[in-house]
Amino acid sequence: MENLFVNLEASLNRFLTATLPGSLPNLAMALASVVVILLFVLTNVVWLVYMERKVAAYMQDRLGPNRVGPRGLLQTVADVLKLLGKEDIVPVAADKWVFKIAAVTVLIPTIMLFAVIPFGNNLISIDLNIGVFYFVAISSTATISFLMAGWASNNKYSLLGGMRVVAQMIAYEIPLVFSLLGVVMLAGSLKMSDIVAAQKDVWFIVLQPVAFLIYFIAGTAELNRGPFDLPEAEQELIAGPFTEYSGFRYAMFFLAEYGNMVAISALAVTLFLGGPSGPWLPSWMWFVIKVYVMIFLFMWLKWTLPRIRLDHMMQFNWKFLLPLSLANILLTGIAIKLF
Amino acid sequence: MYGQGLVKGLSITLKHFFGRAVTEQYPEQKPVLSPRFHGMLALDAVRCNACGTCANWCPNGVIQIESVRDANKKRVLTGYALDMQYCLFCGLCVESCPQNALSWTQDFELACYHREDTLHKLYQAEVSQVEAASGSE
């Protein structure tokens, strides 16, 4: 069980090298990992939409979706089919090309993030020696798609939402990155596999609890999830940058949103929760369990707290999180020097 | 201390997360109604003496009573119909009935497809009964 996917990969590789000539097997293997990552993201998103509605319902003493399929499990499928049947509207006043491209580009960084995530022991697509840096760099490019969508819609709600996304994501990226630095200093490497290996004895959440908290808060803000869901504040901005989108373009934003949630949770698992390691169960199963614990935390927070005010959000970031993360780096450095 | 309210809020939502849902899955699961629930009206035709008090009290003219006089000049009920589309379930008819012949039932599923179906005949005497009661020679 432990090496299920590793063995699958090895046998696929053997099959491809036997059948395909030249460097084609390498290309095919790269494509295969892209397909696997896509499948992983898509199945998780389908499940997460259902899970979010169920969690919200349970926290509000409701039952949630329970009509389509057993226990409402096919609800997301029904929703996707409905979205497929919707008219694809591009507003007359919109900047058509940017409007259309934004819906595609929003998903690209999400998929790219999973390239450096260790899904299990030896289950990592590309073990870059700057893995953490790659993750941070790619995740920050997601901002531009939101701004593109907000600007191209030519709608005041979209634009305001887009501006808020940029302000929020860029601001919270700083404490997010600084919180990761503590872990990187302890592990002495930006390579994901090294960081996981460094947590063999004790998870970094024990050594870096403040960094984990900062990461969790900043991650919530990066995901534009409640209580930091100002960019798509329904009551004021309808749906923020997604206001003018319909049908499958809208679904793409949804997909990216939940895909990002999986990615941020996966990074938290890798950096703070010991990565894909644990007793008895296979490592990839531990990875999924830990990721879902993180996702439940995100959902729990969203369905507990009301939306934070814009100026409070900014103040909290610049006046509290940023100094705190800097102090954390300083203390970590001193501690490393001392022990 | 910072974060106290946060922890309190999170504990409340977690408690509800594991608590029971209050949702009533209606068509499969019927609601438990209070004994004084105002549903459909029921008529005890034996008790009713067709005095017409209920029809007079009704603010919307829902109740239609038909009656005849028997040999002793006494009123006998021959028909009792409710035009439920106008009923506001105030209960004045039930309160006013001197014979306690009207009562509420727990039946609230009164939706129907046609306007004519809102007319509910609670009592309709047979033609022979009407003739017998009116004492026709």
Side-chain angles (χ1 to χ4, degrees), chain A residues 116 126-134 189-192 194:
Chain A
V116 291
I126 316 158
D127 199 4
L128 289 177
N129 53 3
I130 48 159
V132 177
F133 180 68
Y134 169 88
S189 169
L190 285 163
K191 203 171 176 178
M192 293 288 191
D194 287 353

Side-chain angles (χ1 to χ4, degrees), chain A:
Chain A
M1 277 303 268
E2 169 61 47
N3 289 321
L4 178 66
F5 292 106
V6 178
N7 290 343
L8 268 177
E9 196 234 347
S11 50
L12 183 68
N13 202 0
R14 268 200 305 279
F15 172 74
L16 287 173
T17 29
T19 48
L20 293 174
S23 60
L24 273 180
N26 290 335
L27 196 68
M29 280 313 290
L31 268 177
S33 35
V34 171
V35 169
V36 168
I37 283 171
L38 266 174
L39 274 177
F40 176 80
V41 175
L42 291 181
T43 42
N44 270 295
V45 169
V46 166
W47 167 253
L48 279 178
V49 174
Y50 171 78
M51 179 177 159
E52 172 112 74
R53 295 183 61 178
K54 273 290 187 192
V55 168
Y58 285 151
M59 284 187 177
Q60 295 163 0
D61 285 345
R62 295 183 287 116
L63 289 172
N66 58 39
R67 295 282 136 167
V68 194
R71 312 209 64 145
L73 274 168
L74 295 176
Q75 183 66 48
T76 321
V77 179
D79 287 347
V80 169
L81 287 177
K82 187 206 78 173
L83 278 174
L84 269 172
K86 287 263 178 182
E87 186 188 351
D88 177 29
I89 300 168
V90 179
V92 181
D95 190 339
K96 289 193 183 52
W97 276 104
V98 181
F99 185 83
K100 284 176 182 170
I101 292 168
V104 181
T105 52
V106 75
L107 195 60
I108 293 171
T110 311
I111 305 291
M112 282 171 77
L113 289 179
F114 287 91
V116 291
I117 299 290
F119 293 92
N121 293 338
N122 303 321
L123 263 182
I124 175 164
S125 305
I126 316 158
D127 199 4
L128 289 177
N129 53 3
I130 48 159
V132 177
F133 180 68
Y134 169 88
F135 192 99
V136 169
I138 296 294
S139 69
S140 57
T141 57
T143 321
I144 191 106
S145 308
F146 287 105
L147 186 62
M148 276 162 74
W151 175 258
S153 297
N154 206 352
N155 170 320
K156 59 183 170 186
Y157 299 119
S158 302
L159 184 58
L160 272 174
M163 302 298 249
R164 280 193 190 179
V165 171
V166 175
Q168 180 175 322
M169 285 178 84
I170 288 178
Y172 274 84
E173 222 157 68
I174 300 164
L176 184 93
V177 174
F178 282 177
S179 70
L180 299 183
L181 278 183
V183 171
V184 172
M185 283 159 77
L186 282 177
S189 169
L190 285 163
K191 203 171 176 178
M192 293 288 191
S193 54
D194 287 353
I195 294 171
V196 172
Q199 296 178 76
K200 215 170 66 192
D201 300 320
V202 55
W203 291 359
F204 282 151
I205 188 175
V206 182
L207 300 174
Q208 292 278 324
V210 180
F212 178 75
L213 270 179
I214 295 169
Y215 176 84
F216 185 68
I217 294 167
T220 316
E222 284 288 296
L223 294 170
N224 304 322
R225 283 181 65 81
F228 297 103
D229 55 347
L230 297 108
E232 42 205 283
E234 297 96 330
Q235 293 85 350
E236 358 175 338
L237 295 180
I238 309 177
F242 328 134
T243 307
E244 296 289 357
Y245 284 90
S246 66
F248 229 68
R249 286 189 219 280
Y250 180 73
M252 293 289 271
F253 282 101
F254 228 72
L255 213 69
E257 203 179 309
Y258 282 99
N260 280 330
M261 184 154 78
V262 179
I264 292 276
S265 305
L267 189 68
V269 168
T270 312
L271 263 56
F272 293 102
L273 301 178
S277 62
W280 308 304
L281 290 172
S283 58
W284 47 271
M285 219 180 261
W286 269 113
F287 174 78
V288 172
I289 291 169
K290 285 174 185 174
V291 164
Y292 271 88
V293 168
M294 279 302 296
I295 286 172
F296 179 77
L297 281 178
F298 279 123
M299 290 185 175
W300 187 12
L301 206 69
K302 167 160 186 173
W303 295 107
T304 302
L305 302 174
R307 188 176 306 126
I308 193 167
R309 217 171 73 191
L310 188 69
D311 56 331
H312 287 175
M313 180 201 66
M314 281 300 172
Q315 228 161 38
F316 181 65
N317 178 55
W318 294 110
K319 293 189 178 169
F320 183 73
L321 276 189
L322 187 58
L324 189 67
S325 55
L326 283 171
N328 184 55
I329 291 174
L330 186 69
L331 283 177
T332 311
I334 292 169
I336 289 173
K337 195 77 191 159
L338 287 179
F339 303 110

